[in-house]
Amino acid sequence: MDKLILIDGNNVIYRAFFAMPPLTNTAGQQTNAVYGFTTMLLRLIEEHKPTHLIVAFDAGKVTFRHEGYQEYKGGRQKTPPELSEQFPLLKDLLRDLGVPQFEIENYEADDIIGSISRQADEAGRQVMIVSGDKDMLQLASEHTTIALIRKGVTEIELYGPEKIREKYDLTPQQIIDLKGLMGDASDNIPGVPGVGEKTALKLLAQFGSVEGVIAGTGELKGKMKEKLEAHAEDAIMSKKLATIYREVPLTHSWEDMAFQGLKKDTAGPALAKLEFKSLLERLSLSGSAPVDEASSPQAEDLDIVLAGEAELEELTALLTAVKALHVETNGDNPHRSEVIGLALSTPELHYFVPFELLKSEAAAGLRNWLADEHAPKNGYDLHRADLALHWQGIPFAGAAHDVQLAAYLLDPTEASQNLSDLVAKYGLPRLAPDEEVFGKGAKYKVPELDTLGAHVASKSASVLGVLPKQEQDLKDTAMPGLFHDLEMPLSRILADMEKQGISVNTDGLKELGREFESTISGLVEQIYEIAGTEFNLNSTKQLGEILFDKLGLPVIKKTKTGYSTDAEVLEKLEPYHEIVQKILQYRTLAKLQSTYVEGLLKEIAPSTGKVHTFYRQTIAATGRLSSQFPNLQNIPIRLEEGRKIRKVFVPSEPGWSILAADYSQIELRVLAHISDDARLKEAFVHDMDIHTKTAMDVFGVPADAVDANMRRSAKAVNFGIVYGISDYGLSQNLNITRKEAARFIEQYFEVFQGVRRYMDEIVRDARKAGYVTTLLERRRYLPEINASNYNLRSFAERTAMNTPIQGTAADIIKLAMIHMDRVLFERKLKSRMLLQVHDELVFEVPEDELDTMKKLVPEVMEGALKLSVPLKAEVSYGSNWYEAK
DNA sequence: TTAATTACG
DNA sequence: CGGGTCGTAATTAAC
């Protein structure tokens, strides 16, 4: 039995646009309406299995309706550009899905639908019409059902003549009369003023049609009678306008509407291109185009060799042809990972070498190749591979192209890029996600050799496929230099630093822990006594009950789930009750104890007595590094109690020192450079105290008139500027009113006009390009910069201001690390670079190199990149990290 | 797993 | 009018 589905394309995409959150793809192109449309379309196909299917669109600006009524659809809001841009995307997608689409010059979608449905009806075919427009109900008949879209695009409600009678007590024909009387504001159809749905239904129940009502006005009285008589003509015209024209000369035949299921070969790549990953998965399509199977083999068709000793020999002879590899490891912490196996891909063959074999005598040649820095390696997360292999006694060198790192540069906000997603993004043959092969969490299990080998080998094969696409993308985004000359070399340096680790004085740390413990237990006792009960101090829920229910303290702030008890709230509560201050002290010490004493102790490697952090190079959207297992980028410094933790970070060899150097005001210096602001640059050229100088300029006073308060305010403004300021934020920070803060900011911009210009321009540029860049062309997309939602848009605007600053600072210290590494090597220095903390580098230095390093480190840091203002690095050293202040 | 909190630049 | 400064990681409780 034939079944035809007719979709009112314009109406549905319009509804989808407003129903969906503003999704955008990586290029910043909004795709929400296409997405909403497609989900609905796919569901219709699944549920109703049409044999014939059409999406109809309006065509031509002037439809025949305007010929009779100029104002038709006048006063309608212009289609937002975010929506009109999506029409071509939708039309392309429909073509690739194999869904026929019609448009006929000068007719609207509903007329096309009306005409097709009339013919289908006459032929006794089953028809379903999909739209959000109630007018469509006039087309309902014995064979024709109307699927009205409700609530966004998720629900549809089916209307046949029966249902229409139930709901309105009207025939489908009378729907037109209904609109003739009540009109339609959105189409600028007047109807009769003062007649809404209720009245119209009553009139139709009595008189049957618009004509009937007009003829019968004699039976009415009062205002209603006058109105109907005065607007009889309007009602007739409105009815005409509301009537769907069903005689459009159709240019398509029944066969043209046939739908033979989705065109799998083109549907996959088309969905992949739009980045509709969930839809791809739902259809279990890969983004691949199977037409060129030769160049992109299906994963299951790979020529995979599970290597034994004989194959290993063959492989060893082939090593120069290996173009990609993958090292499979387990666990999150690469310093503690086991290596499961290694896959190597030549363009033709894919070998899997189990770890047992890799360790054996037979694999010596392969291991030599792995260690050879002149043998280039391409792979996914080579940094992790390097570390995991290192702790198994297998050296690794020669990383050339890491596809994870390249993916991060191409879109740093999509950094959770696993290889399987990456492959889908580029429309390559599907790669099973790791969870599918290994299970996740507690269920992680290495599968048997066949499955394992095939999976790991398809990973290296995938690297092979992704590689050329990324090289092209990097070229298109001006980032090959950033990738090959900065991030790739840095990744090796990070691995060296991590393997080296930093020594921790375990006994000192334990002693510190005992000191904290005694203070903590004293505090806990006092708190319980004051509270009159014991409770779990670490539970914000229980603490809230004590403070606000039991003790009746005023509620300052609420969280999603209850009372807020954060430090800001507790500080406000301090004057009300003695318990509050003790809780604050407890919080401080409990944090130190659990994170920095106990947490750090757990991370000390027994074999080295050191902590080996893992720097992640693909997490932070601005280009910064992050540090894990343990995080050595947030060791306390602001409060003395916490700062003591730094005493346990010591040199690994007797007589050596810890030397630390940090950039002074690097972000404001970067701002001075990129904004080219005369005053800001002058401040740094003369190396003035930047906050004092800001206070002088903003308040218009000489240096000796700047008091501590003025300097504090200026400092807050400077921070605000770097982050993309708002008057509210500043007012909170300085405890002043929003108006005062706003005036303050205005004064700042009066003085630093270059900064104002920069802030305006960067937002404007971001809006136009869809992204911002750092000095080294690092890129961050800001799809929400054009959002209609104020919050989203404002956030994107602040990000546009902040990212080039923070990101350029990140570029600079990365450059410094590369220069530093090379200088240490070339000058054969024994000093070692150990840590990076965003604007600081930490070294351990032998006695006889101390004088050299004191000069060399700041010199290299300051010379990392030439800006229009000088960079400044301050160096210090001592017997531990605390002393190097 | 998520939310709240707190540590850092 | 709105919501309310950027970027991270670790710990704990409670689901």
Side-chain angles (χ1 to χ4, degrees):
Chain A
M1 175 72 181
D2 285 337
K3 182 165 185 180
L4 168 66
I5 293 186
L6 294 164
I7 298 177
D8 182 348
N10 287 70
N11 183 281
V12 174
I13 193 175
Y14 199 79
R15 292 190 67 99
F17 177 72
F18 289 105
M20 305 293 295
L23 291 174
T24 48
N25 66 11
T26 40
Q29 167 73 56
Q30 194 164 323
T31 54
N32 65 329
V34 181
Y35 182 82
F37 190 107
T38 313
T39 41
M40 197 211 64
L41 175 69
L42 293 178
R43 210 180 45 229
L44 282 170
I45 293 172
E46 263 169 42
E47 284 175 14
H48 299 277
K49 312 212 179 333
T51 56
H52 293 72
L53 172 62
I54 291 209
V55 180
F57 290 104
D58 297 350
K61 284 213 169 97
V62 176
T63 73
F64 73 96
R65 281 188 175 74
H66 290 88
E67 289 162 20
Y69 178 56
Q70 290 301 317
E71 287 78 28
Y72 177 67
K73 289 198 176 173
R76 195 179 250 203
Q77 285 266 320
K78 251 178 67 191
T79 309
E82 292 86 357
L83 172 56
S84 39
E85 284 162 13
Q86 296 186 57
F87 274 91
L89 298 182
L90 177 63
K91 290 178 180 176
D92 285 353
L93 177 64
L94 291 173
R95 184 198 58 219
D96 293 335
L97 292 175
V99 175
Q101 43 188 319
F102 289 4
E103 48 185 56
I104 297 172
E105 196 64 25
N106 289 334
Y107 290 96
E108 292 187 39
D110 18 356
D111 303 315
I112 301 175
I113 288 174
S115 308
I116 296 174
S117 80
R118 182 182 59 80
Q119 291 189 356
D121 230 3
E122 284 164 2
R125 291 179 165 129
Q126 219 193 324
V127 179
M128 182 161 109
I129 294 171
V130 183
S131 177
D133 186 351
K134 263 196 210 161
D135 285 7
M136 287 293 183
L137 295 182
Q138 66 186 269
L139 301 179
S141 75
E142 190 192 339
H143 306 290
T144 304
T145 317
I146 317 300
L148 267 195
I149 302 173
R150 301 258 140 252
K151 277 206 210 153
V153 282
T154 50
E155 282 176 37
I156 56 175
E157 205 172 350
L158 297 177
Y159 283 85
E162 285 305 300
K163 178 88 179 271
I164 296 171
R165 178 162 305 283
E166 263 171 51
K167 189 140 181 186
Y168 300 103
D169 198 24
L170 296 178
T171 63
Q173 300 306 313
Q174 286 177 305
I175 292 289
I176 312 174
D177 296 282
L178 179 67
K179 196 152 167 190
L181 290 169
M182 59 186 272
D184 183 340
S186 72
D187 283 348
N188 212 22
I189 295 180
V192 179
V195 175
E197 184 175 299
K198 288 259 167 68
T199 318
L201 286 174
K202 213 187 311 167
L203 290 169
L204 288 177
Q206 196 176 345
F207 301 107
S209 67
V210 167
E211 291 76 12
V213 173
I214 290 166
T217 43
E219 290 171 44
L220 296 165
K221 48 191 173 242
K223 268 259 150 63
M224 184 54 59
K225 181 178 178 188
E226 283 172 35
K227 272 189 200 152
L228 284 167
E229 283 170 346
H231 294 94
E233 257 177 60
D234 283 343
I236 300 277
M237 182 191 69
S238 296
K239 179 173 174 179
K240 225 185 241 165
L241 285 172
T243 306
I244 293 174
Y245 184 66
R246 308 190 68 174
E247 308 291 341
V248 176
L250 293 175
T251 49
H252 301 74
S253 69
W254 176 245
E255 286 71 35
D256 292 336
M257 306 176 202
F259 175 68
Q260 284 119 351
L262 295 177
K263 274 177 28 191
K264 301 247 168 184
D265 53 339
T266 47
L271 292 169
K273 196 172 139 210
L274 288 161
E275 298 168 21
F276 293 166
K277 289 172 208 155
S278 61
L279 294 183
L280 267 176
E281 238 164 75
R282 178 164 140 197
L283 298 169
S284 23
L285 285 174
S286 85
S288 66
V291 260
D292 41 37
E293 265 182 6
S295 65
S296 59
Q298 289 293 319
E300 54 267 35
D301 294 341
L302 290 177
D303 287 318
I304 292 168
V305 182
L306 300 176
E309 289 202 10
E311 292 81 8
L312 193 56
E313 203 171 311
E314 164 194 319
L315 168 62
T316 309
L318 260 172
L319 284 171
T320 49
V322 167
K323 294 291 176 257
L325 59 77
H326 181 72
V327 178
E328 188 66 34
T329 61
N330 66 13
D332 290 329
N333 185 339
H335 295 290
R336 298 179 180 186
S337 291
E338 291 167 313
V339 175
I340 293 163
L342 165 71
L344 299 141
S345 291
T346 71
E348 292 81 29
L349 285 176
H350 310 276
Y351 289 84
F352 178 70
V353 183
F355 183 57
E356 283 306 311
L357 185 59
L358 180 63
K359 279 191 305 186
S360 73
E361 185 53 40
L366 175 54
R367 289 198 302 271
N368 281 338
W369 177 80
L370 283 174
D372 180 1
E373 63 173 318
H374 300 296
K377 325 278 187 314
N378 306 317
Y380 177 87
D381 203 354
L382 295 171
H383 177 190
R384 181 180 290 272
D386 180 346
L387 295 174
L389 287 168
H390 166 80
W391 294 110
Q392 303 295 335
I394 300 174
F396 178 89
H401 181 124
D402 184 326
V403 294
Q404 186 191 36
L405 200 41
Y408 164 74
L409 285 189
L410 291 169
D411 186 355
T413 50
E414 275 271 341
S416 71
Q417 299 271 15
N418 54 51
L419 185 52
S420 164
D421 288 344
L422 217 52
V423 155
K425 174 184 155 188
Y426 284 114
L428 294 162
R430 181 172 187 277
L431 170 69
D434 281 340
E435 302 91 72
E436 211 173 286
V437 179
F438 295 102
K440 63 172 173 183
K443 285 184 221 131
Y444 177 92
K445 193 169 164 287
V446 177
E448 57 182 310
L449 189 64
D450 282 6
T451 318
L452 175 69
H455 181 60
V456 181
S458 13
K459 284 195 188 180
S460 66
S462 298
V463 168
L464 208 57
V466 167
L467 201 84
K469 310 237 179 201
Q470 285 187 330
E471 289 290 1
Q472 186 56 50
D473 284 355
L474 288 168
K475 269 182 209 152
D476 294 343
T477 52
M479 290 194 283
L482 184 66
F483 180 62
H484 291 289
D485 305 331
L486 191 119
E487 297 290 357
M488 285 306 306
L490 181 70
S491 118
R492 196 270 303 156
I493 294 168
L494 293 174
D496 285 352
M497 292 163 65
E498 294 156 354
K499 291 172 197 168
Q500 185 58 236
I502 183 165
S503 285
V504 173
N505 174 355
T506 311
D507 293 337
L509 189 54
K510 285 180 179 160
E511 175 54 30
L512 204 52
R514 281 190 290 273
E515 285 168 29
F516 289 148
E517 172 51 37
S518 78
T519 320
I520 289 172
S521 57
L523 279 168
V524 170
E525 223 170 277
Q526 293 174 44
I527 290 168
Y528 288 166
E529 185 160 334
I530 300 171
T533 174
E534 296 198 359
F535 62 100
N536 185 346
L537 251 174
N538 291 325
S539 161
T540 50
K541 193 160 160 251
Q542 295 183 32
L543 179 62
E545 282 160 16
I546 299 282
L547 291 178
F548 304 111
D549 295 339
K550 188 143 187 273
L551 300 177
L553 298 181
V555 176
I556 310 277
K557 201 165 60 171
K558 296 205 125 202
T559 66
K560 246 183 272 176
T561 53
Y563 305 121
S564 169
T565 66
D566 65 19
E568 204 186 308
V569 169
L570 294 182
E571 273 157 27
K572 292 209 171 83
L573 292 176
E574 263 192 277
Y576 291 91
H577 206 287
E578 52 167 342
I579 198 172
V580 177
Q581 181 232 338
K582 298 198 183 295
I583 294 168
L584 279 165
Q585 276 182 36
Y586 168 83
R587 280 256 176 95
T588 308
L589 290 167
K591 176 75 175 177
L592 294 175
Q593 185 74 306
S594 65
T595 306
Y596 297 104
V597 176
E598 292 163 3
L600 207 53
L601 281 170
K602 279 186 227 157
E603 295 291 346
I604 298 172
S607 57
T608 58
K610 294 176 172 185
V611 286
H612 303 267
T613 192
F614 175 44
Y615 287 107
R616 303 209 52 188
Q617 210 178 340
T618 59
I619 298 293
T622 53
R624 279 187 172 187
L625 301 176
S626 76
S627 155
Q628 270 183 319
F629 319 126
N631 181 354
L632 294 181
Q633 291 183 319
N634 70 347
I635 302 300
I637 191 166
R638 291 174 192 167
L639 300 174
E640 179 54 29
E641 296 146 295
R643 192 170 189 158
K644 290 208 171 78
I645 299 282
R646 294 186 173 228
K647 292 190 181 191
V648 308
F649 292 90
V650 295
S652 64
E653 310 207 23
W656 288 37
S657 299
I658 296 291
L659 179 144
D662 67 306
Y663 279 113
S664 161
Q665 304 296 351
I666 188 167
E667 292 187 337
L668 286 172
R669 286 173 198 259
V670 166
L671 174 62
H673 174 87
I674 55 185
S675 70
D676 203 34
D677 183 283
R679 293 229 182 176
L680 203 53
K681 286 202 301 191
E682 182 197 315
F684 287 119
V685 167
H686 297 118
D687 198 22
M688 301 163 89
D689 175 317
I690 188 61
H691 303 314
T692 303
K693 166 72 168 148
T694 305
M696 287 163 59
D697 288 348
V698 170
F699 297 114
V701 298
D704 51 16
V706 174
D707 63 24
N709 211 21
M710 291 160 82
R711 187 179 181 279
R712 196 174 63 93
S713 304
K715 188 173 173 180
V717 177
N718 277 331
F719 270 98
I721 291 295
V722 169
Y723 294 144
I725 202 160
S726 78
D727 46 11
Y728 178 84
L730 186 67
S731 74
Q732 289 295 294
N733 209 316
L734 288 176
N735 233 329
I736 58 178
T737 68
R738 186 169 145 166
K739 272 211 170 122
E740 287 167 331
R743 252 197 52 219
F744 213 160
I745 294 168
E746 183 50 36
Q747 278 172 354
Y748 179 96
F749 281 137
E750 285 291 320
V751 179
F752 297 100
Q753 297 198 16
V755 176
R756 188 205 299 262
R757 196 179 333 112
Y758 162 73
M759 296 294 173
D760 291 346
E761 276 174 12
I762 194 75
V763 170
R764 210 178 51 223
D765 292 352
R767 207 162 275 154
K768 210 163 107 197
Y771 61 87
V772 291
T773 56
T774 67
L775 272 192
L776 297 195
E777 296 291 342
R778 184 187 303 281
R779 186 178 281 215
R780 178 176 184 177
Y781 293 96
L782 300 167
E784 283 160 352
I785 194 96
N786 289 313
S788 52
N789 178 316
Y790 174 88
N791 265 335
L792 291 177
R793 191 177 61 244
S794 299
F795 191 80
E797 286 169 0
R798 292 194 297 273
T799 312
M801 300 183 226
N802 169 264
T803 295
I805 301 172
Q806 193 183 116
T808 300
D811 293 346
I812 291 173
I813 195 165
K814 284 176 168 179
L815 274 175
M817 292 170 78
I818 290 171
H819 293 169
M820 204 61 234
D821 179 79
R822 199 174 52 222
V823 173
L824 288 177
F825 177 80
E826 281 171 358
R827 295 178 53 168
K828 300 196 169 57
L829 292 165
K830 297 190 290 296
S831 297
R832 302 168 185 138
M833 184 155 60
L834 301 181
L835 303 176
Q836 190 253 44
V837 192
H838 309 307
D839 65 351
E840 174 187 15
L841 294 176
V842 179
F843 298 81
E844 57 182 5
V845 178
E847 174 78 56
D848 62 348
E849 289 179 8
L850 205 46
D851 287 337
T852 308
M853 290 291 282
K854 264 164 32 186
K855 276 188 63 190
L856 183 62
V857 174
E859 207 175 278
V860 169
M861 288 172 74
E862 287 168 4
L865 188 64
K866 179 115 186 71
L867 301 183
S868 59
V869 294
L871 288 173
K872 191 177 166 196
E874 290 171 333
V875 69
S876 60
Y877 61 93
S879 57
N880 56 54
W881 198 4
Y882 178 94
E883 300 295 337
K885 63 181 173 188

